[in-house]
Amino acid sequence: MTNADLLNSPRGFFLSFEGSEGCGKSTQIHLLRERLEAAGKRVEVLREPGGTAVGEEIRHLLQHAKAGEGMTPEAELLLFAASRAQIVREKIRPLLAGGTFVILDRFLDSTTVYQGMARGLPLESVRAINAFATGGTLPELTLVLDMDPACAYQRIHATGRELDRMESQPLAFFEKVRAGYRQLAQAEPERLRLLDAARTPETIHSEIWDLIQSRHHAV
């Protein structure tokens, strides 16, 4: 596709999913992608951190590399921001300009909640770094899957697989995460919608589909 084609194409839709580990984001993203593609939409699912070659290297350092075990909250914040700056410019903006429905598994709200509210970094600094990284590119709708931290904690520990750095945090950390997301949803009700993640996947998906139809009339 040429630059002229990009400029003349109808703009896409940018949607992000948020929530604590174990809340069911992956399931809902999968269901939504299938339904959108069945409706004839071009869909791209990306993840944060990651989504680009640079971002995937950062993801490994943040989540799995032994070198990341002693990482400070400040370094963690800046690495997430670096991955975000890359994916916005390399992937999200061109995809939206080309009319693609972009679904992101986590975006800037994760950093506000995890590094700001749960890690305790100054929120003004977190927001300023997020703003620099995104350059004004924000989701049109953010769906927060809200679940009791103890239930989510049990889910991730019941998988039997090796947990990454973020999943290995204590329950008290995830309680702060949930409170943080609820605070954000209350502060930005037009963009962030809180969904009860304790319900069946089908019920949650139905609510998500209704929300998207109300925001994106081409679906």
Side-chain angles (χ1 to χ4, degrees), residues 14-23 25 29 46-49 59 63 80 84 87 92 103-111 113-114 139 166 174 177 181:
F14 183 13
L15 169 74
S16 63
F17 277 83
E18 295 284 353
S20 180
E21 270 71 19
C23 68
K25 287 188 290 85
I29 289 171
L46 301 168
R47 67 181 183 177
E48 272 216 327
R59 183 184 184 90
Q63 295 188 346
F80 275 111
R84 184 162 303 128
I87 199 172
I92 296 172
I103 301 173
L104 207 58
D105 185 348
R106 299 196 180 282
F107 196 51
L108 81 165
D109 300 301
S110 283
T111 298
V113 169
Y114 278 72
M166 302 309 294
F174 294 115
V177 166
Y181 275 124

PDB file of all heavy atoms in Angstrom, residues 14-23 25 29 46-49 59 63 80 84 87 92 103-111 113-114 139 166 174 177 181:
ATOM      1  N   PHE A  14      -8.955   1.730  17.229  1.00  0.00           N
ATOM      2  CA  PHE A  14      -7.928   1.319  18.179  1.00  0.00           C
ATOM      3  C   PHE A  14      -8.590   0.960  19.504  1.00  0.00           C
ATOM      4  O   PHE A  14      -9.188   1.793  20.169  1.00  0.00           O
ATOM      5  CB  PHE A  14      -6.922   2.457  18.349  1.00  0.00           C
ATOM      6  CG  PHE A  14      -5.752   2.152  19.259  1.00  0.00           C
ATOM      7  CD1 PHE A  14      -5.455   0.863  19.683  1.00  0.00           C
ATOM      8  CD2 PHE A  14      -4.918   3.175  19.694  1.00  0.00           C
ATOM      9  CE1 PHE A  14      -4.383   0.592  20.509  1.00  0.00           C
ATOM     10  CE2 PHE A  14      -3.838   2.929  20.520  1.00  0.00           C
ATOM     11  CZ  PHE A  14      -3.573   1.637  20.928  1.00  0.00           C
ATOM     12  N   LEU A  15      -8.456  -0.316  19.881  1.00  0.00           N
ATOM     13  CA  LEU A  15      -9.051  -0.853  21.104  1.00  0.00           C
ATOM     14  C   LEU A  15      -7.966  -1.521  21.939  1.00  0.00           C
ATOM     15  O   LEU A  15      -7.129  -2.253  21.405  1.00  0.00           O
ATOM     16  CB  LEU A  15     -10.116  -1.888  20.737  1.00  0.00           C
ATOM     17  CG  LEU A  15     -10.686  -2.762  21.861  1.00  0.00           C
ATOM     18  CD1 LEU A  15     -11.626  -1.945  22.728  1.00  0.00           C
ATOM     19  CD2 LEU A  15     -11.415  -3.961  21.276  1.00  0.00           C
ATOM     20  N   SER A  16      -7.971  -1.273  23.240  1.00  0.00           N
ATOM     21  CA  SER A  16      -7.012  -1.952  24.119  1.00  0.00           C
ATOM     22  C   SER A  16      -7.745  -2.728  25.200  1.00  0.00           C
ATOM     23  O   SER A  16      -8.843  -2.348  25.633  1.00  0.00           O
ATOM     24  CB  SER A  16      -6.031  -0.954  24.756  1.00  0.00           C
ATOM     25  OG  SER A  16      -6.703  -0.036  25.586  1.00  0.00           O
ATOM     26  N   PHE A  17      -7.128  -3.821  25.622  1.00  0.00           N
ATOM     27  CA  PHE A  17      -7.628  -4.632  26.734  1.00  0.00           C
ATOM     28  C   PHE A  17      -6.686  -4.475  27.909  1.00  0.00           C
ATOM     29  O   PHE A  17      -5.458  -4.510  27.748  1.00  0.00           O
ATOM     30  CB  PHE A  17      -7.693  -6.111  26.344  1.00  0.00           C
ATOM     31  CG  PHE A  17      -8.928  -6.505  25.587  1.00  0.00           C
ATOM     32  CD1 PHE A  17      -9.015  -6.304  24.215  1.00  0.00           C
ATOM     33  CD2 PHE A  17     -10.008  -7.074  26.244  1.00  0.00           C
ATOM     34  CE1 PHE A  17     -10.148  -6.669  23.510  1.00  0.00           C
ATOM     35  CE2 PHE A  17     -11.151  -7.450  25.552  1.00  0.00           C
ATOM     36  CZ  PHE A  17     -11.222  -7.245  24.175  1.00  0.00           C
ATOM     37  N   GLU A  18      -7.246  -4.336  29.097  1.00  0.00           N
ATOM     38  CA  GLU A  18      -6.464  -4.197  30.311  1.00  0.00           C
ATOM     39  C   GLU A  18      -7.025  -5.107  31.397  1.00  0.00           C
ATOM     40  O   GLU A  18      -8.146  -5.604  31.299  1.00  0.00           O
ATOM     41  CB  GLU A  18      -6.485  -2.742  30.799  1.00  0.00           C
ATOM     42  CG  GLU A  18      -5.810  -1.742  29.880  1.00  0.00           C
ATOM     43  CD  GLU A  18      -4.297  -1.784  29.947  1.00  0.00           C
ATOM     44  OE1 GLU A  18      -3.745  -2.515  30.810  1.00  0.00           O
ATOM     45  OE2 GLU A  18      -3.655  -1.079  29.155  1.00  0.00           O
ATOM     46  N   GLY A  19      -6.239  -5.272  32.451  1.00  0.00           N
ATOM     47  CA  GLY A  19      -6.659  -6.079  33.588  1.00  0.00           C
ATOM     48  C   GLY A  19      -5.473  -6.795  34.204  1.00  0.00           C
ATOM     49  O   GLY A  19      -4.396  -6.869  33.615  1.00  0.00           O
ATOM     50  N   SER A  20      -5.678  -7.327  35.376  1.00  0.00           N
ATOM     51  CA  SER A  20      -4.630  -8.053  36.075  1.00  0.00           C
ATOM     52  C   SER A  20      -4.340  -9.377  35.374  1.00  0.00           C
ATOM     53  O   SER A  20      -5.137  -9.862  34.565  1.00  0.00           O
ATOM     54  CB  SER A  20      -5.060  -8.316  37.521  1.00  0.00           C
ATOM     55  OG  SER A  20      -4.056  -9.017  38.216  1.00  0.00           O
ATOM     56  N   GLU A  21      -3.197  -9.963  35.669  1.00  0.00           N
ATOM     57  CA  GLU A  21      -2.898 -11.302  35.180  1.00  0.00           C
ATOM     58  C   GLU A  21      -4.010 -12.251  35.616  1.00  0.00           C
ATOM     59  O   GLU A  21      -4.502 -12.175  36.732  1.00  0.00           O
ATOM     60  CB  GLU A  21      -1.558 -11.792  35.750  1.00  0.00           C
ATOM     61  CG  GLU A  21      -0.359 -11.452  34.909  1.00  0.00           C
ATOM     62  CD  GLU A  21      -0.007  -9.978  34.937  1.00  0.00           C
ATOM     63  OE1 GLU A  21      -0.434  -9.262  35.852  1.00  0.00           O
ATOM     64  OE2 GLU A  21       0.693  -9.537  34.015  1.00  0.00           O
ATOM     65  N   GLY A  22      -4.402 -13.153  34.687  1.00  0.00           N
ATOM     66  CA  GLY A  22      -5.410 -14.147  35.016  1.00  0.00           C
ATOM     67  C   GLY A  22      -6.842 -13.696  34.836  1.00  0.00           C
ATOM     68  O   GLY A  22      -7.770 -14.440  35.163  1.00  0.00           O
ATOM     69  N   CYS A  23      -7.050 -12.500  34.286  1.00  0.00           N
ATOM     70  CA  CYS A  23      -8.420 -11.968  34.192  1.00  0.00           C
ATOM     71  C   CYS A  23      -9.166 -12.448  32.946  1.00  0.00           C
ATOM     72  O   CYS A  23     -10.375 -12.219  32.832  1.00  0.00           O
ATOM     73  CB  CYS A  23      -8.399 -10.443  34.222  1.00  0.00           C
ATOM     74  SG  CYS A  23      -7.656  -9.682  32.767  1.00  0.00           S
ATOM     75  N   LYS A  25      -8.049 -11.845  29.525  1.00  0.00           N
ATOM     76  CA  LYS A  25      -7.852 -10.990  28.361  1.00  0.00           C
ATOM     77  C   LYS A  25      -7.636 -11.790  27.078  1.00  0.00           C
ATOM     78  O   LYS A  25      -8.221 -11.479  26.038  1.00  0.00           O
ATOM     79  CB  LYS A  25      -6.655 -10.054  28.560  1.00  0.00           C
ATOM     80  CG  LYS A  25      -6.877  -8.926  29.521  1.00  0.00           C
ATOM     81  CD  LYS A  25      -5.714  -7.941  29.512  1.00  0.00           C
ATOM     82  CE  LYS A  25      -4.462  -8.515  30.124  1.00  0.00           C
ATOM     83  NZ  LYS A  25      -3.608  -9.297  29.261  1.00  0.00           N
ATOM     84  N   ILE A  29      -9.837 -11.448  23.667  1.00  0.00           N
ATOM     85  CA  ILE A  29      -9.185 -10.961  22.446  1.00  0.00           C
ATOM     86  C   ILE A  29      -9.385 -11.954  21.308  1.00  0.00           C
ATOM     87  O   ILE A  29      -9.694 -11.575  20.172  1.00  0.00           O
ATOM     88  CB  ILE A  29      -7.688 -10.693  22.705  1.00  0.00           C
ATOM     89  CG1 ILE A  29      -7.528  -9.457  23.594  1.00  0.00           C
ATOM     90  CG2 ILE A  29      -6.930 -10.518  21.393  1.00  0.00           C
ATOM     91  CD1 ILE A  29      -6.118  -9.229  24.092  1.00  0.00           C
ATOM     92  N   LEU A  46      -1.940  -7.006  18.667  1.00  0.00           N
ATOM     93  CA  LEU A  46      -0.573  -6.741  19.110  1.00  0.00           C
ATOM     94  C   LEU A  46      -0.519  -6.830  20.632  1.00  0.00           C
ATOM     95  O   LEU A  46      -1.553  -6.806  21.294  1.00  0.00           O
ATOM     96  CB  LEU A  46      -0.130  -5.343  18.662  1.00  0.00           C
ATOM     97  CG  LEU A  46      -0.157  -5.074  17.157  1.00  0.00           C
ATOM     98  CD1 LEU A  46       0.027  -3.587  16.885  1.00  0.00           C
ATOM     99  CD2 LEU A  46       0.915  -5.888  16.448  1.00  0.00           C
ATOM    100  N   ARG A  47       0.687  -6.938  21.164  1.00  0.00           N
ATOM    101  CA  ARG A  47       0.815  -7.030  22.617  1.00  0.00           C
ATOM    102  C   ARG A  47       1.874  -6.065  23.125  1.00  0.00           C
ATOM    103  O   ARG A  47       2.791  -5.680  22.395  1.00  0.00           O
ATOM    104  CB  ARG A  47       1.170  -8.450  23.045  1.00  0.00           C
ATOM    105  CG  ARG A  47       2.558  -8.926  22.605  1.00  0.00           C
ATOM    106  CD  ARG A  47       2.792 -10.343  23.072  1.00  0.00           C
ATOM    107  NE  ARG A  47       4.137 -10.823  22.750  1.00  0.00           N
ATOM    108  CZ  ARG A  47       4.603 -12.013  23.103  1.00  0.00           C
ATOM    109  NH1 ARG A  47       3.833 -12.844  23.790  1.00  0.00           N
ATOM    110  NH2 ARG A  47       5.839 -12.387  22.790  1.00  0.00           N
ATOM    111  N   GLU A  48       1.716  -5.702  24.388  1.00  0.00           N
ATOM    112  CA  GLU A  48       2.687  -4.869  25.065  1.00  0.00           C
ATOM    113  C   GLU A  48       3.110  -5.510  26.382  1.00  0.00           C
ATOM    114  O   GLU A  48       2.238  -6.046  27.088  1.00  0.00           O
ATOM    115  CB  GLU A  48       2.082  -3.493  25.358  1.00  0.00           C
ATOM    116  CG  GLU A  48       2.253  -2.488  24.248  1.00  0.00           C
ATOM    117  CD  GLU A  48       2.472  -1.105  24.825  1.00  0.00           C
ATOM    118  OE1 GLU A  48       1.926  -0.794  25.892  1.00  0.00           O
ATOM    119  OE2 GLU A  48       3.207  -0.345  24.217  1.00  0.00           O
ATOM    120  N   PRO A  49       4.404  -5.434  26.692  1.00  0.00           N
ATOM    121  CA  PRO A  49       5.456  -4.988  25.785  1.00  0.00           C
ATOM    122  C   PRO A  49       5.632  -5.999  24.655  1.00  0.00           C
ATOM    123  O   PRO A  49       5.295  -7.167  24.816  1.00  0.00           O
ATOM    124  CB  PRO A  49       6.695  -4.919  26.685  1.00  0.00           C
ATOM    125  CG  PRO A  49       6.437  -5.942  27.755  1.00  0.00           C
ATOM    126  CD  PRO A  49       4.951  -5.893  27.992  1.00  0.00           C
ATOM    127  N   ARG A  59      10.522  -7.088  25.947  1.00  0.00           N
ATOM    128  CA  ARG A  59       9.607  -7.986  26.672  1.00  0.00           C
ATOM    129  C   ARG A  59      10.376  -9.113  27.359  1.00  0.00           C
ATOM    130  O   ARG A  59      10.119  -9.439  28.527  1.00  0.00           O
ATOM    131  CB  ARG A  59       8.579  -8.572  25.702  1.00  0.00           C
ATOM    132  CG  ARG A  59       7.532  -9.458  26.378  1.00  0.00           C
ATOM    133  CD  ARG A  59       6.592 -10.103  25.354  1.00  0.00           C
ATOM    134  NE  ARG A  59       5.537 -10.860  26.019  1.00  0.00           N
ATOM    135  CZ  ARG A  59       4.368 -10.368  26.387  1.00  0.00           C
ATOM    136  NH1 ARG A  59       4.079  -9.103  26.157  1.00  0.00           N
ATOM    137  NH2 ARG A  59       3.473 -11.128  26.991  1.00  0.00           N
ATOM    138  N   GLN A  63      10.360  -9.668  31.384  1.00  0.00           N
ATOM    139  CA  GLN A  63       9.577 -10.770  31.937  1.00  0.00           C
ATOM    140  C   GLN A  63      10.362 -12.042  32.230  1.00  0.00           C
ATOM    141  O   GLN A  63      10.005 -12.776  33.148  1.00  0.00           O
ATOM    142  CB  GLN A  63       8.421 -11.096  30.988  1.00  0.00           C
ATOM    143  CG  GLN A  63       7.417  -9.962  30.855  1.00  0.00           C
ATOM    144  CD  GLN A  63       6.190 -10.363  30.070  1.00  0.00           C
ATOM    145  OE1 GLN A  63       6.166 -11.391  29.405  1.00  0.00           O
ATOM    146  NE2 GLN A  63       5.158  -9.549  30.140  1.00  0.00           N
ATOM    147  N   PHE A  80       9.224  -0.188  29.467  1.00  0.00           N
ATOM    148  CA  PHE A  80       7.863  -0.277  28.935  1.00  0.00           C
ATOM    149  C   PHE A  80       7.597   0.883  27.972  1.00  0.00           C
ATOM    150  O   PHE A  80       6.993   0.706  26.905  1.00  0.00           O
ATOM    151  CB  PHE A  80       6.830  -0.251  30.069  1.00  0.00           C
ATOM    152  CG  PHE A  80       6.569  -1.594  30.688  1.00  0.00           C
ATOM    153  CD1 PHE A  80       6.974  -1.867  31.982  1.00  0.00           C
ATOM    154  CD2 PHE A  80       5.908  -2.586  29.984  1.00  0.00           C
ATOM    155  CE1 PHE A  80       6.726  -3.107  32.572  1.00  0.00           C
ATOM    156  CE2 PHE A  80       5.658  -3.828  30.558  1.00  0.00           C
ATOM    157  CZ  PHE A  80       6.069  -4.087  31.847  1.00  0.00           C
ATOM    158  N   ARG A  84       6.685   0.890  23.948  1.00  0.00           N
ATOM    159  CA  ARG A  84       5.461   1.578  23.515  1.00  0.00           C
ATOM    160  C   ARG A  84       5.752   2.609  22.421  1.00  0.00           C
ATOM    161  O   ARG A  84       5.004   2.715  21.440  1.00  0.00           O
ATOM    162  CB  ARG A  84       4.810   2.253  24.730  1.00  0.00           C
ATOM    163  CG  ARG A  84       3.486   2.917  24.447  1.00  0.00           C
ATOM    164  CD  ARG A  84       2.734   3.152  25.757  1.00  0.00           C
ATOM    165  NE  ARG A  84       2.561   1.890  26.440  1.00  0.00           N
ATOM    166  CZ  ARG A  84       2.899   1.668  27.713  1.00  0.00           C
ATOM    167  NH1 ARG A  84       3.427   2.638  28.444  1.00  0.00           N
ATOM    168  NH2 ARG A  84       2.711   0.491  28.263  1.00  0.00           N
ATOM    169  N   ILE A  87       6.182   0.647  19.106  1.00  0.00           N
ATOM    170  CA  ILE A  87       4.993   0.029  18.514  1.00  0.00           C
ATOM    171  C   ILE A  87       4.006   1.077  17.995  1.00  0.00           C
ATOM    172  O   ILE A  87       3.337   0.854  16.977  1.00  0.00           O
ATOM    173  CB  ILE A  87       4.312  -0.935  19.516  1.00  0.00           C
ATOM    174  CG1 ILE A  87       3.400  -1.906  18.772  1.00  0.00           C
ATOM    175  CG2 ILE A  87       3.535  -0.185  20.590  1.00  0.00           C
ATOM    176  CD1 ILE A  87       2.845  -3.012  19.646  1.00  0.00           C
ATOM    177  N   ILE A  92       1.104   0.751  15.113  1.00  0.00           N
ATOM    178  CA  ILE A  92      -0.260   1.216  15.370  1.00  0.00           C
ATOM    179  C   ILE A  92      -0.697   2.311  14.400  1.00  0.00           C
ATOM    180  O   ILE A  92      -1.758   2.216  13.774  1.00  0.00           O
ATOM    181  CB  ILE A  92      -0.410   1.694  16.832  1.00  0.00           C
ATOM    182  CG1 ILE A  92      -0.206   0.520  17.794  1.00  0.00           C
ATOM    183  CG2 ILE A  92      -1.792   2.315  17.056  1.00  0.00           C
ATOM    184  CD1 ILE A  92      -0.150   0.911  19.260  1.00  0.00           C
ATOM    185  N   ILE A 103      -6.229  -4.249  17.875  1.00  0.00           N
ATOM    186  CA  ILE A 103      -6.504  -4.690  19.243  1.00  0.00           C
ATOM    187  C   ILE A 103      -5.170  -4.843  19.960  1.00  0.00           C
ATOM    188  O   ILE A 103      -4.300  -5.593  19.508  1.00  0.00           O
ATOM    189  CB  ILE A 103      -7.256  -6.033  19.268  1.00  0.00           C
ATOM    190  CG1 ILE A 103      -8.585  -5.929  18.514  1.00  0.00           C
ATOM    191  CG2 ILE A 103      -7.492  -6.493  20.708  1.00  0.00           C
ATOM    192  CD1 ILE A 103      -9.302  -7.264  18.357  1.00  0.00           C
ATOM    193  N   LEU A 104      -5.019  -4.161  21.053  1.00  0.00           N
ATOM    194  CA  LEU A 104      -3.769  -4.228  21.790  1.00  0.00           C
ATOM    195  C   LEU A 104      -3.984  -4.873  23.157  1.00  0.00           C
ATOM    196  O   LEU A 104      -4.874  -4.464  23.913  1.00  0.00           O
ATOM    197  CB  LEU A 104      -3.185  -2.825  21.981  1.00  0.00           C
ATOM    198  CG  LEU A 104      -1.665  -2.763  22.120  1.00  0.00           C
ATOM    199  CD1 LEU A 104      -0.980  -3.375  20.908  1.00  0.00           C
ATOM    200  CD2 LEU A 104      -1.199  -1.326  22.271  1.00  0.00           C
ATOM    201  N   ASP A 105      -3.185  -5.882  23.436  1.00  0.00           N
ATOM    202  CA  ASP A 105      -3.181  -6.545  24.734  1.00  0.00           C
ATOM    203  C   ASP A 105      -2.257  -5.743  25.643  1.00  0.00           C
ATOM    204  O   ASP A 105      -1.063  -5.939  25.662  1.00  0.00           O
ATOM    205  CB  ASP A 105      -2.680  -7.983  24.570  1.00  0.00           C
ATOM    206  CG  ASP A 105      -2.749  -8.786  25.853  1.00  0.00           C
ATOM    207  OD1 ASP A 105      -2.960  -8.189  26.930  1.00  0.00           O
ATOM    208  OD2 ASP A 105      -2.579 -10.015  25.784  1.00  0.00           O
ATOM    209  N   ARG A 106      -2.843  -4.794  26.362  1.00  0.00           N
ATOM    210  CA  ARG A 106      -2.196  -3.826  27.250  1.00  0.00           C
ATOM    211  C   ARG A 106      -1.656  -2.628  26.459  1.00  0.00           C
ATOM    212  O   ARG A 106      -1.213  -2.750  25.335  1.00  0.00           O
ATOM    213  CB  ARG A 106      -1.065  -4.447  28.080  1.00  0.00           C
ATOM    214  CG  ARG A 106      -1.511  -5.570  28.999  1.00  0.00           C
ATOM    215  CD  ARG A 106      -0.446  -5.853  30.056  1.00  0.00           C
ATOM    216  NE  ARG A 106      -0.846  -6.932  30.946  1.00  0.00           N
ATOM    217  CZ  ARG A 106      -1.715  -6.799  31.940  1.00  0.00           C
ATOM    218  NH1 ARG A 106      -2.274  -5.634  32.161  1.00  0.00           N
ATOM    219  NH2 ARG A 106      -2.024  -7.817  32.715  1.00  0.00           N
ATOM    220  N   PHE A 107      -1.722  -1.470  27.131  1.00  0.00           N
ATOM    221  CA  PHE A 107      -1.152  -0.256  26.561  1.00  0.00           C
ATOM    222  C   PHE A 107      -0.757   0.651  27.724  1.00  0.00           C
ATOM    223  O   PHE A 107      -0.363   0.153  28.784  1.00  0.00           O
ATOM    224  CB  PHE A 107      -2.158   0.408  25.600  1.00  0.00           C
ATOM    225  CG  PHE A 107      -1.545   1.432  24.678  1.00  0.00           C
ATOM    226  CD1 PHE A 107      -0.418   1.139  23.924  1.00  0.00           C
ATOM    227  CD2 PHE A 107      -2.104   2.700  24.560  1.00  0.00           C
ATOM    228  CE1 PHE A 107       0.139   2.083  23.074  1.00  0.00           C
ATOM    229  CE2 PHE A 107      -1.556   3.651  23.706  1.00  0.00           C
ATOM    230  CZ  PHE A 107      -0.434   3.334  22.967  1.00  0.00           C
ATOM    231  N   LEU A 108      -0.885   1.957  27.562  1.00  0.00           N
ATOM    232  CA  LEU A 108      -0.337   2.873  28.562  1.00  0.00           C
ATOM    233  C   LEU A 108      -0.980   2.739  29.939  1.00  0.00           C
ATOM    234  O   LEU A 108      -0.337   3.034  30.963  1.00  0.00           O
ATOM    235  CB  LEU A 108      -0.442   4.314  28.082  1.00  0.00           C
ATOM    236  CG  LEU A 108      -1.781   5.054  28.230  1.00  0.00           C
ATOM    237  CD1 LEU A 108      -1.562   6.554  28.053  1.00  0.00           C
ATOM    238  CD2 LEU A 108      -2.830   4.543  27.276  1.00  0.00           C
ATOM    239  N   ASP A 109      -2.241   2.286  30.007  1.00  0.00           N
ATOM    240  CA  ASP A 109      -2.911   2.175  31.308  1.00  0.00           C
ATOM    241  C   ASP A 109      -2.231   1.151  32.202  1.00  0.00           C
ATOM    242  O   ASP A 109      -2.227   1.294  33.423  1.00  0.00           O
ATOM    243  CB  ASP A 109      -4.379   1.827  31.112  1.00  0.00           C
ATOM    244  CG  ASP A 109      -5.110   2.892  30.309  1.00  0.00           C
ATOM    245  OD1 ASP A 109      -5.129   4.054  30.755  1.00  0.00           O
ATOM    246  OD2 ASP A 109      -5.619   2.574  29.224  1.00  0.00           O
ATOM    247  N   SER A 110      -1.660   0.111  31.603  1.00  0.00           N
ATOM    248  CA  SER A 110      -0.921  -0.879  32.393  1.00  0.00           C
ATOM    249  C   SER A 110       0.237  -0.223  33.129  1.00  0.00           C
ATOM    250  O   SER A 110       0.497  -0.515  34.302  1.00  0.00           O
ATOM    251  CB  SER A 110      -0.383  -2.000  31.488  1.00  0.00           C
ATOM    252  OG  SER A 110      -1.405  -2.895  31.139  1.00  0.00           O
ATOM    253  N   THR A 111       0.932   0.666  32.438  1.00  0.00           N
ATOM    254  CA  THR A 111       2.072   1.335  33.065  1.00  0.00           C
ATOM    255  C   THR A 111       1.615   2.269  34.185  1.00  0.00           C
ATOM    256  O   THR A 111       2.230   2.324  35.250  1.00  0.00           O
ATOM    257  CB  THR A 111       2.865   2.121  32.007  1.00  0.00           C
ATOM    258  OG1 THR A 111       3.366   1.199  31.036  1.00  0.00           O
ATOM    259  CG2 THR A 111       4.029   2.863  32.625  1.00  0.00           C
ATOM    260  N   VAL A 113      -0.966   1.912  36.032  1.00  0.00           N
ATOM    261  CA  VAL A 113      -1.423   1.107  37.160  1.00  0.00           C
ATOM    262  C   VAL A 113      -0.282   0.316  37.799  1.00  0.00           C
ATOM    263  O   VAL A 113      -0.081   0.365  39.023  1.00  0.00           O
ATOM    264  CB  VAL A 113      -2.554   0.156  36.722  1.00  0.00           C
ATOM    265  CG1 VAL A 113      -2.858  -0.866  37.804  1.00  0.00           C
ATOM    266  CG2 VAL A 113      -3.810   0.958  36.382  1.00  0.00           C
ATOM    267  N   TYR A 114       0.463  -0.431  36.996  1.00  0.00           N
ATOM    268  CA  TYR A 114       1.496  -1.317  37.546  1.00  0.00           C
ATOM    269  C   TYR A 114       2.687  -0.537  38.104  1.00  0.00           C
ATOM    270  O   TYR A 114       3.119  -0.772  39.237  1.00  0.00           O
ATOM    271  CB  TYR A 114       1.974  -2.296  36.478  1.00  0.00           C
ATOM    272  CG  TYR A 114       1.089  -3.497  36.298  1.00  0.00           C
ATOM    273  CD1 TYR A 114      -0.160  -3.390  35.692  1.00  0.00           C
ATOM    274  CD2 TYR A 114       1.495  -4.757  36.725  1.00  0.00           C
ATOM    275  CE1 TYR A 114      -0.983  -4.490  35.520  1.00  0.00           C
ATOM    276  CE2 TYR A 114       0.688  -5.879  36.554  1.00  0.00           C
ATOM    277  CZ  TYR A 114      -0.547  -5.730  35.957  1.00  0.00           C
ATOM    278  OH  TYR A 114      -1.366  -6.836  35.794  1.00  0.00           O
ATOM    279  N   PRO A 139      -6.075   4.718  22.656  1.00  0.00           N
ATOM    280  CA  PRO A 139      -7.198   3.865  22.246  1.00  0.00           C
ATOM    281  C   PRO A 139      -8.506   4.649  22.266  1.00  0.00           C
ATOM    282  O   PRO A 139      -8.710   5.513  23.117  1.00  0.00           O
ATOM    283  CB  PRO A 139      -7.216   2.757  23.309  1.00  0.00           C
ATOM    284  CG  PRO A 139      -5.877   2.812  23.959  1.00  0.00           C
ATOM    285  CD  PRO A 139      -5.442   4.241  23.897  1.00  0.00           C
ATOM    286  N   MET A 166       6.195 -10.457  36.300  1.00  0.00           N
ATOM    287  CA  MET A 166       4.989  -9.758  36.725  1.00  0.00           C
ATOM    288  C   MET A 166       3.988 -10.706  37.375  1.00  0.00           C
ATOM    289  O   MET A 166       3.355 -10.380  38.379  1.00  0.00           O
ATOM    290  CB  MET A 166       4.339  -9.046  35.531  1.00  0.00           C
ATOM    291  CG  MET A 166       5.257  -8.040  34.836  1.00  0.00           C
ATOM    292  SD  MET A 166       6.047  -6.847  35.955  1.00  0.00           S
ATOM    293  CE  MET A 166       4.630  -5.915  36.526  1.00  0.00           C
ATOM    294  N   PHE A 174      -1.318  -7.394  43.352  1.00  0.00           N
ATOM    295  CA  PHE A 174      -2.465  -7.468  42.447  1.00  0.00           C
ATOM    296  C   PHE A 174      -3.698  -6.772  43.026  1.00  0.00           C
ATOM    297  O   PHE A 174      -4.561  -6.310  42.276  1.00  0.00           O
ATOM    298  CB  PHE A 174      -2.762  -8.924  42.102  1.00  0.00           C
ATOM    299  CG  PHE A 174      -1.670  -9.562  41.299  1.00  0.00           C
ATOM    300  CD1 PHE A 174      -0.925 -10.614  41.817  1.00  0.00           C
ATOM    301  CD2 PHE A 174      -1.357  -9.102  40.031  1.00  0.00           C
ATOM    302  CE1 PHE A 174       0.104 -11.194  41.097  1.00  0.00           C
ATOM    303  CE2 PHE A 174      -0.330  -9.675  39.296  1.00  0.00           C
ATOM    304  CZ  PHE A 174       0.402 -10.715  39.823  1.00  0.00           C
ATOM    305  N   VAL A 177      -3.184  -3.359  41.958  1.00  0.00           N
ATOM    306  CA  VAL A 177      -3.451  -3.267  40.523  1.00  0.00           C
ATOM    307  C   VAL A 177      -4.949  -3.120  40.263  1.00  0.00           C
ATOM    308  O   VAL A 177      -5.387  -2.262  39.487  1.00  0.00           O
ATOM    309  CB  VAL A 177      -2.890  -4.505  39.789  1.00  0.00           C
ATOM    310  CG1 VAL A 177      -3.446  -4.609  38.365  1.00  0.00           C
ATOM    311  CG2 VAL A 177      -1.366  -4.456  39.753  1.00  0.00           C
ATOM    312  N   TYR A 181      -6.863   0.120  38.477  1.00  0.00           N
ATOM    313  CA  TYR A 181      -7.708   0.093  37.282  1.00  0.00           C
ATOM    314  C   TYR A 181      -9.088   0.680  37.581  1.00  0.00           C
ATOM    315  O   TYR A 181      -9.663   1.405  36.749  1.00  0.00           O
ATOM    316  CB  TYR A 181      -7.854  -1.335  36.767  1.00  0.00           C
ATOM    317  CG  TYR A 181      -6.725  -1.776  35.871  1.00  0.00           C
ATOM    318  CD1 TYR A 181      -5.986  -2.920  36.167  1.00  0.00           C
ATOM    319  CD2 TYR A 181      -6.413  -1.069  34.717  1.00  0.00           C
ATOM    320  CE1 TYR A 181      -4.944  -3.331  35.345  1.00  0.00           C
ATOM    321  CE2 TYR A 181      -5.376  -1.474  33.897  1.00  0.00           C
ATOM    322  CZ  TYR A 181      -4.647  -2.605  34.208  1.00  0.00           C
ATOM    323  OH  TYR A 181      -3.616  -3.011  33.378  1.00  0.00           O
TER     324      TYR A 181
END
